[in-house]
């Protein structure tokens, strides 16, 4: 850790996240230490801070920063500051980049590798899950970094696709890394950190307030060369990420969807408004000729035949569930949430509306009855 990191930590704790003034200090001063040691006179002279800001700078101590750094060390969380060599240049160039990144795992090389954000609804259809999984897996096999937000639905499917391809994926949280957010995805975040990184601009201990996530989305797009929206309705939070991407000069893509699905209204409208339509991972790769990526003919890409007029179920034989089974109501409900195509446990929870504990119990019973099979990445399908 650099000597200057504790001073950037001090600034971050003093004036908070999503603050353009942090970047102004980075651009104006040769050293954050010079700014700190200049005191109130220098802070006023900079012309950046209000009197309220200056009071906050005065009331925040370097010892507060030291305590936070110690807490991060105890949690095995790295602290990456603005002037650290590993801080992504892509992110530094956005309007209000965080001067501190909290990192669980290791930041990949964003400078030399193409990075693509995958976003969409939490209430994804089977089609959306399949599309996310296949696209992220195909891209990850080519060395593309997959960036997403770690939520249910499209986010989870994208992270899992990259992991199953032995690729690199980055999860950007809207809370402290140590906070017990969406515990059904705790093992997924652990797997992400083992080969990529889970990151946040929020200090450890920060809760997942709803307002944190729209703020977080600027980092998802900022870390990426382009943003792919898989499924989203017209009021989806994913469109906030798209707006950030447009402001940041990133490429925007949308997966063509079923015209009868509410979760395709946003993506199909994006295409009408000029987003690049995606029918294959190659549509994404082709938009970045400056990166030396060569499409591997061995990659199995099931997205080639996407159709905006057909749902996933239209392109596959109907699921064959056994009849006259002696199952409880909960187990029967879980059984009929599962079809021929692998579905992640997160999607089963969403579709069934049952508690995670009840879903896990029902899945175990169905496996013991040889009615379903479990595959790598906690994906389930009919036996």
């Amino acid at each position: 850790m650099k000597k200057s990191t504790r001073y950037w930590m001090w600034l971050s704790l003093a004036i908070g996240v999503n603050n353009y003034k942090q970047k102004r200090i980075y651009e104006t001063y040769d050293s954050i230490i010079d700014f700190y040691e200049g005191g109130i006179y220098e802070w006023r002279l900079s012309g950046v801070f209000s009197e309220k800001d200056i009071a906050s700078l005065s009331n925040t101590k370097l010892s507060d920063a030291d305590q936070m750094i110690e807490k991060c060390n105890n949690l095995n969380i790295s602290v990456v500051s603005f002037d650290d060599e590993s801080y992504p240049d892509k992110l530094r160039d956005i309007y209000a980049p965080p001067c501190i990144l909290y990192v669980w795992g290791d930041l990949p090389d964003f400078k030399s590798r193409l990075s693509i954000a995958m976003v969409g609804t939490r209430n994804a259809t089977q089609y959306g899950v399949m599309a996310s999984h296949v696209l992220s897996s195909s891209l990850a096999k080519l060395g593309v970094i997959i960036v997403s937000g770690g939520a249910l639905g499209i986010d989870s499917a994208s992270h899992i696709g990259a992991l199953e391809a032995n690729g690199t994926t980055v999860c950007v949280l809207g809370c402290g890394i140590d906070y017990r957010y969406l515990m059904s995805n705790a093992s997924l975040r652990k797997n992400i950190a083992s080969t990529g990184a889970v990151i946040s601009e929020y200090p450890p201990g920060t809760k997942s307030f709803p307002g944190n996530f729209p703020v977080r989305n600027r980092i998802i797009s900022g870390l990426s060369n382009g943003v792919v929206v898989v499924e989203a309705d017209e009021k989806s939070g994913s469109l906030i990420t798209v707006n950030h991407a447009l402001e940041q000069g990133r490429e925007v893509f949308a997966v063509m969807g079923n015209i009868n699905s509410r979760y395709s209204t946003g993506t199909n409208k994006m295409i009408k408004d000029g987003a690049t339509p995606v029918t294959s991972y190659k549509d994404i790769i082709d938009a970045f000729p400056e990166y030396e990526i060569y499409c591997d003919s061995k990659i199995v890409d099931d997205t080639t035949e996407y159709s905006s007029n057909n749902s996933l179920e239209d392109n596959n034989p109907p699921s064959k569930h056994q009849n006259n089974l002696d199952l409880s109501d909960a187990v029967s409900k879980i059984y009929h949430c599962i079809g021929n195509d692998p579905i992640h446990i997160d999607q089963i929870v969403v579709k069934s509306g049952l508690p995670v504990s009840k879903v896990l119990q029902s899945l175990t019973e169905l496996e013991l009855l040889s009615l379903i099979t479990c595959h790598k990445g906690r994906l389930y399908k009919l036996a």
Side-chain angles (χ1 to χ4, degrees):
M1 184 182 299
K2 300 187 67 168
K3 179 182 177 182
S4 59
T5 299
R6 63 196 293 253
Y7 296 88
W8 285 115
M9 176 71 78
W10 162 78
L11 181 63
S12 177
L13 294 176
I15 64 175
V17 303
N18 192 28
N19 196 320
Y20 75 94
K21 297 173 184 179
Q22 297 172 355
K23 183 176 181 179
R24 289 282 297 274
I25 297 303
Y26 175 78
E27 294 173 338
T28 304
Y29 291 84
D30 292 334
S31 168
I32 181 64
I33 300 175
D34 293 341
F35 173 77
Y36 172 81
E37 292 180 343
I40 293 177
Y41 175 78
E42 184 63 40
W43 305 341
R44 284 200 176 99
L45 191 63
S46 69
V48 175
F49 299 103
S50 66
E51 287 301 313
K52 182 179 178 180
D53 292 330
I54 291 171
S56 183
L57 292 170
S58 300
N59 293 329
T60 306
K61 309 302 180 185
L62 265 185
S63 58
D64 297 333
D66 293 335
Q67 289 174 14
M68 182 58 70
I69 290 171
E70 182 179 3
K71 182 176 183 178
C72 290
N73 290 337
N74 292 335
L75 292 170
N76 196 31
I77 295 172
S78 303
V79 179
V80 178
S81 59
F82 249 153
D83 54 358
D84 195 295
E85 290 182 1
S86 63
Y87 191 99
D89 289 338
K90 292 173 185 173
L91 187 60
R92 190 184 283 120
D93 289 340
I94 71 173
Y95 174 68
C99 67
I100 288 290
L101 287 177
Y102 300 92
V103 181
W104 181 26
D106 295 300
L107 285 174
D109 182 8
F110 282 100
K111 187 172 185 178
S112 63
R113 294 171 62 182
L114 178 64
S115 52
I116 295 295
M118 301 280 293
V119 298
T121 180
R122 288 171 168 80
N123 301 313
T125 66
Q126 268 191 290
Y127 171 83
V129 171
M130 179 276 291
S132 305
H133 187 281
V134 172
L135 284 172
S136 60
S137 177
S138 299
L139 292 168
K141 287 176 182 177
L142 297 173
V144 177
I145 302 166
I146 302 299
V147 183
S148 198
L152 296 173
I154 300 304
D155 288 10
S156 292
S158 301
H159 289 306
I160 291 168
L163 290 171
E164 291 187 351
N166 295 318
T168 303
T169 183
V170 172
C171 171
V172 186
L173 295 177
C175 58
I177 291 175
D178 64 327
Y179 182 69
R180 292 176 61 81
Y181 163 73
L182 192 61
M183 292 310 292
S184 60
N185 267 6
S187 60
L188 175 59
R189 291 194 294 273
K190 184 177 181 180
N191 290 336
I192 291 170
S194 67
T195 56
V198 176
I199 71 174
S200 179
E201 67 176 328
Y202 294 98
T206 304
K207 297 180 180 180
S208 56
F209 295 109
N212 292 0
F213 294 91
V215 171
R216 175 278 313 264
N217 290 350
R218 81 192 193 287
I219 299 177
I220 292 178
S221 56
L223 286 170
S224 309
N225 296 91
V227 173
V228 179
V229 185
V230 180
E231 281 187 322
D233 62 34
E234 289 191 79
K235 296 182 179 180
S236 172
S238 301
L239 302 185
I240 297 175
T241 311
V242 170
N243 289 335
H244 285 307
L246 293 172
E247 291 170 359
Q248 295 163 355
R250 305 320 194 226
E251 297 288 335
V252 174
F253 305 84
V255 173
M256 300 171 67
N258 180 0
I259 61 172
N260 296 316
S261 170
R262 60 170 288 195
Y263 297 114
S264 295
T265 55
T267 47
N268 289 344
K269 184 177 185 300
M270 286 173 56
I271 292 171
K272 287 176 64 177
D273 291 342
T276 301
V278 174
T279 59
S280 162
Y281 74 96
K282 296 175 184 176
D283 295 324
I284 302 168
I285 295 298
D286 290 346
F288 303 99
E290 66 272 26
Y291 286 88
E292 294 185 0
I293 297 176
Y294 301 96
C295 295
D296 188 342
S297 60
K298 296 180 181 179
I299 291 179
V300 178
D301 182 9
D302 297 330
T303 64
T304 304
E305 300 299 327
Y306 279 169
S307 169
S308 62
N309 295 309
N310 294 291
S311 66
L312 179 63
E313 289 77 9
D314 294 330
N315 295 324
N316 291 282
S319 301
K320 294 182 179 179
H321 294 91
Q322 296 184 32
N323 298 317
N324 302 319
L325 295 172
D326 184 18
L327 303 174
S328 69
D329 290 344
V331 175
S332 178
K333 191 171 188 178
I334 296 300
Y335 180 49
H336 285 88
C337 285
I338 300 171
N340 297 332
D341 297 295
I343 180 172
H344 191 258
I345 186 173
D346 292 340
Q347 306 311 312
I348 299 173
V349 171
V350 171
K351 289 180 68 175
S352 68
L354 296 174
V356 174
S357 59
K358 181 65 71 173
V359 172
L360 290 170
Q361 180 182 339
S362 300
L363 289 171
T364 300
E365 185 173 333
L366 290 169
E367 283 189 86
L368 291 174
L369 292 171
S370 299
L371 294 174
I372 64 172
T373 56
C374 180
H375 299 263
K376 184 178 179 183
R378 303 186 80 180
L379 296 166
Y380 294 86
K381 62 183 293 187
L382 291 177

